[in-house]
Amino acid sequence: MLLLVTVLLIIVLISRITEESIKIPSTLSIIIYAFVLSYFFPHLFNITHNEFDEILYLMLPVILLPDVLNLSIKELKENAKEIFYLAFIAVVASIGIAILVTPYILPEYQWSFGVLIALFSMLMATDAITVASIMSKFKLPEYLKVYAESESLFNDVTALIIFYFVAIPLLNGGEVSAMSLNITLFKVLFLSIVIGIGVATLGYLSIKILKNPLDQFIILYLVVIVSFLLAEHFHIAGILSIVASVLTFKSFIQKEIRDNLTTQNFNDIQNSILQLIKKVPTITKKEFREYKKEAMFIGIFANAIVFIIISNIIIFEDLIIYAVEIFTIFALTTLIRFGAIFSMIKTLHLPVRWAQTLTLAGSKGALTIIMSHSLPLEFIYREMFIAIVIGNVLLSTFIYTGFLILHIYLNKKNYAQDIVTYDNITTKQMEQNDYVKSLVTVLEKDEETNAYNKPFIEDILEKEISRAQRYKVDFSILTFKVLANEEDIKQLKEIAKVINSKIRLNDNFGKLDSEKYLILTANTSLSGAIVLAEKITHKIKKLHNIQLYFGVTQMSDTDTLESIYEKLEDALQRALLENGQKIEVEV
């Protein structure tokens, strides 16, 4: 066992080095390294199908936790229609189209309706583990990432319901009516969400009692694991329960943090248990941010274990026997997926390249393999379907990811423009094609302020983060928001002149949106960044009716682009809420 753990850690480490060196997602290199090891040392990983299923169920909550924690509740609400289309309508329609087409492209098989539903319900769902891992490696518009990651989390629920409550009963000789299917759908969705919300509420109340950070971190994991186990025990959607529990838990924490920002009056506590509980503080924003980082590190390791195991249940002899069926089904599902996504992209008047990216983000993964293992043992096509599923998992992982890397590389400038164009508007504005068409072509720098536009300043920020972490040097970041009316906002050029005169040659000035800006100060301590903010604020006072509010932070060894943005946003919000205080710090 000790040897196995050592080998796992070595594979994870080498794959991370590969990712840093040649920018290949670690999911690909992990599968390759693990397969090579298992080929030369076949007894090193001795995993059966049942053991694979058990390990995946153990790892699934751990892997999904950081992905769901990073989901924005606001973005989910804003994009609810698109996510519903991708996660439900597109899945159902795609399965229907595949059922109609398959008899013509594989006429040698006389598959029944139930057999076809079983096959394509397994293959139409994208894998949240794989998609989140791959999409996080690329610089793409936030809306595009939200579509891909949300779809991968929620369409699993649709596929699982169709597979377990429609396909399996049909394979076993049963019947499924429209009425029973609707009742089952309602029961699964309702109970999964109720379980998630109920467990999250108990977890939230528990962290008000247990103040030790380790205890609170354990509670966070228990919320995810218990909600998943309860849902699976009642044979409903465990993944949906995970999503519901984490989003509920997160919303409770965020609401309390917002309330603490706006009021600090604890003297008017009413004499009720509910009010007393509400007034007991849970965790700070900083602690919650640290928990998210720790969950991400644990998730990376758990994700690596899953992909190592996948590489060791591959039977290449079966893949060769059913090669024609594997490639045929892969081509069919890819075309159907592109058609379903292209329809939505055209409706929203978004660039066609988004449809290509979303199609290539549709990797299959471990959950699809789990479903194939659930096929009845007496099912005549069981061996073939398992081979088709594993073959499609491998093809989607390698071919989709390879073409995705190439596609993004060839469209790098276009996606940089998309980040500026689409990240600052709402979904409703996306549908107004004239708004998008009227935008000026995006250049590297904003013409009005001479500040780097968002994709370029973020690229510089990521490089500075890597440099500071590698060489252990100070690196501080400032963000500021300009509050002014339309007449005074014309003085932005003057503000920009002040900033450019105060920063050094190795500092960088960037624009995030129409009101928010970023200043990167290399080799600068937190106190030095605060002094810079004070100098700028003092100089700006000479401009009438202009108010600048600053958020300042210093990078830590474990910070990422997302965590730095969170810290800056927290500091900026406090500055906006505080009377008279225009510079706030978050560490």
Side-chain angles (χ1 to χ4, degrees):
M1 180 59 72
L2 182 58
L3 176 62
L4 181 60
V5 172
T6 304
V7 172
L8 289 174
L9 289 173
I10 291 173
I11 292 174
V12 172
L13 185 60
I14 296 175
S15 66
R16 299 288 293 176
I17 293 171
T18 304
E19 184 178 70
E20 289 294 322
S21 302
I22 55 178
K23 306 302 179 186
I24 292 178
S26 58
T27 50
L28 302 185
S29 55
I30 282 172
I31 291 178
I32 294 171
Y33 295 144
F35 176 74
V36 170
L37 270 177
S38 63
Y39 181 81
F40 288 104
F41 304 98
H43 299 294
L44 186 60
F45 304 104
N46 190 15
I47 305 294
T48 65
H49 285 183
N50 288 335
E51 288 171 336
F52 169 81
D53 295 350
E54 291 175 4
I55 293 171
L56 179 65
Y57 277 122
L58 175 66
M59 295 298 171
L60 193 61
V62 178
I63 293 169
L64 291 181
L65 175 59
D67 296 330
V68 183
L69 278 176
N70 286 319
L71 279 179
S72 167
I73 299 172
K74 180 182 177 183
E75 288 175 342
L76 289 177
K77 290 178 180 178
E78 288 177 351
N79 300 283
K81 290 189 297 183
E82 290 78 14
I83 293 170
F84 177 75
Y85 171 80
L86 291 170
F88 180 74
I89 296 176
V91 173
V92 174
S94 296
I95 292 173
I97 294 169
I99 289 172
L100 293 174
V101 173
T102 302
Y104 297 98
I105 61 174
L106 291 172
E108 64 271 28
Y109 295 105
Q110 301 300 315
W111 285 332
S112 67
F113 185 66
V115 170
L116 289 169
I117 291 177
L119 176 60
F120 290 107
S121 60
M122 293 187 290
L123 294 175
M124 288 299 172
T126 55
D127 185 69
I129 301 168
T130 313
V131 172
S133 175
I134 292 173
M135 290 298 288
S136 64
K137 304 297 182 293
F138 303 113
K139 192 180 290 296
L140 296 167
E142 285 303 315
Y143 277 106
L144 186 53
K145 287 190 175 184
V146 168
Y147 293 156
E149 294 176 1
S150 301
E151 177 207 10
S152 66
L153 279 170
F154 291 105
N155 72 0
D156 287 343
V157 177
T158 305
L160 286 167
I161 290 173
I162 294 173
F163 180 77
Y164 285 109
F165 298 102
V166 178
I168 294 298
L170 289 175
L171 290 181
N172 289 326
E175 294 183 359
V176 178
S177 65
M179 178 66 73
S180 65
L181 182 59
N182 288 329
I183 293 172
T184 300
L185 181 65
F186 175 78
K187 182 185 78 172
V188 169
L189 296 178
F190 178 76
L191 289 179
S192 299
I193 293 171
V194 167
I195 287 173
I197 293 173
V199 174
T201 304
L202 291 175
Y204 173 70
L205 295 175
S206 299
I207 64 172
K208 286 178 172 288
I209 301 170
L210 300 171
K211 296 298 181 183
N212 185 284
L214 177 60
D215 297 337
Q216 293 181 337
F217 192 58
I218 291 172
I219 288 172
L220 181 59
Y221 271 98
L222 281 174
V223 165
V224 180
I225 293 169
V226 171
S227 61
F228 179 74
L229 288 176
L230 282 175
E232 290 296 314
H233 174 73
F234 292 108
H235 304 291
I236 51 179
I239 291 177
L240 183 59
S241 284
I242 290 176
V243 174
S245 65
V246 177
L247 290 181
T248 302
F249 188 84
K250 182 179 177 180
S251 66
F252 284 151
I253 298 296
Q254 289 180 332
K255 183 179 184 303
E256 180 171 296
I257 290 168
R258 286 195 302 270
D259 292 345
N260 289 340
L261 281 175
T262 55
T263 176
Q264 296 294 333
N265 183 15
F266 293 93
N267 296 322
D268 58 347
I269 298 177
Q270 300 178 14
N271 293 323
S272 71
I273 295 176
L274 182 61
Q275 290 297 322
L276 286 170
I277 291 173
K278 284 183 177 180
K279 293 301 180 181
V280 176
T282 52
I283 57 179
T284 65
K285 183 72 174 179
K286 181 179 179 181
E287 289 172 333
F288 188 56
R289 191 163 51 242
E290 291 301 317
Y291 293 159
K292 287 171 67 175
K293 284 186 198 175
E294 291 160 3
M296 182 186 69
F297 295 147
I298 296 173
I300 288 171
F301 181 70
N303 189 44
I305 292 175
V306 169
F307 279 97
I308 289 169
I309 295 169
I310 287 176
S311 68
N312 286 276
I313 62 168
I314 299 170
I315 303 174
F316 272 92
E317 290 79 7
D318 287 350
L319 299 184
I320 294 170
I321 292 171
Y322 301 111
V324 173
E325 291 82 357
I326 290 169
F327 280 101
T328 302
I329 296 297
F330 176 73
L332 175 62
T333 53
T334 301
L335 288 172
I336 292 173
R337 176 173 173 79
F338 178 77
I341 292 171
F342 181 77
S343 301
M344 185 191 81
I345 294 300
K346 289 299 288 182
T347 302
L348 295 175
H349 306 293
L350 295 171
V352 176
R353 57 181 169 271
W354 285 35
Q356 295 168 325
T357 297
L358 285 173
T359 300
L360 296 173
S363 298
K364 281 73 177 174
L367 198 64
T368 304
I369 299 174
I370 281 281
M371 293 164 71
S372 70
H373 293 171
S374 300
L375 291 167
L377 294 175
E378 64 276 8
F379 178 51
I380 189 172
Y381 296 110
R382 189 173 193 272
E383 182 183 286
M384 176 194 289
F385 277 22
I386 290 176
I388 291 174
V389 163
I390 292 177
N392 274 260
V393 168
L394 292 176
L395 288 175
S396 64
T397 301
F398 285 92
I399 293 179
Y400 280 2
T401 306
F403 277 103
L404 182 61
I405 293 171
L406 179 63
H407 168 72
I408 293 174
Y409 176 77
L410 295 176
N411 292 273
K412 186 177 181 180
K413 290 183 179 179
N414 291 327
Y415 281 118
Q417 179 173 330
D418 290 345
I419 290 172
V420 177
T421 303
Y422 295 101
D423 280 1
N424 298 326
I425 62 176
T426 63
T427 304
K428 187 176 181 180
Q429 288 172 320
M430 282 186 185
E431 295 168 359
Q432 299 168 354
N433 200 30
D434 293 337
Y435 175 87
V436 177
K437 286 182 178 179
S438 66
L439 290 170
V440 180
T441 302
V442 179
L443 301 174
E444 182 177 328
K445 287 191 175 183
D446 176 57
E447 290 183 0
E448 191 172 22
T449 61
N450 201 38
Y452 285 109
N453 279 314
K454 185 177 179 181
F456 298 97
I457 194 64
E458 283 190 344
D459 188 51
I460 296 170
L461 176 54
E462 288 182 333
K463 290 176 181 176
E464 288 294 333
I465 290 171
S466 298
R467 188 186 69 85
Q469 290 174 339
R470 184 179 298 114
Y471 296 108
K472 306 298 180 185
V473 294
D474 288 334
F475 176 46
S476 297
I477 309 99
L478 303 86
T479 187
F480 66 87
K481 190 167 186 176
V482 181
L483 294 186
N485 56 41
E486 286 189 15
E487 289 295 322
D488 297 320
I489 206 70
K490 294 176 182 178
Q491 298 184 72
L492 274 176
K493 285 187 178 180
E494 296 300 319
I495 296 173
K497 284 182 182 178
V498 170
I499 291 169
N500 284 311
S501 68
K502 294 297 180 184
I503 64 175
R504 303 162 304 176
L505 290 175
N506 62 334
D507 294 336
N508 291 281
F509 174 41
K511 180 179 181 180
L512 297 179
D513 57 41
S514 59
E515 294 182 338
K516 199 180 298 180
Y517 296 81
L518 205 64
I519 301 174
L520 313 181
T521 58
N523 301 307
T524 302
S525 65
L526 188 61
S527 59
I530 294 170
V531 169
L532 175 62
E534 290 172 344
K535 287 180 179 179
I536 294 172
T537 303
H538 178 73
K539 194 76 174 177
I540 295 299
K541 284 181 180 178
K542 296 178 181 179
L543 300 174
H544 298 294
N545 300 320
I546 294 287
Q547 294 185 24
L548 257 62
Y549 291 86
F550 275 90
V552 185
T553 191
Q554 184 176 27
M555 194 205 74
S556 67
D557 289 339
T558 58
D559 266 330
T560 61
L561 183 67
E562 290 75 19
S563 64
I564 284 174
Y565 273 149
E566 280 189 18
K567 292 196 290 186
L568 289 172
E569 186 63 28
D570 294 341
L572 186 60
Q573 289 301 317
R574 287 204 308 274
L576 290 166
L577 290 168
E578 290 286 343
N579 293 324
Q581 181 66 35
K582 296 186 178 180
I583 301 172
E584 282 289 337
V585 177
E586 179 76 16
V587 294

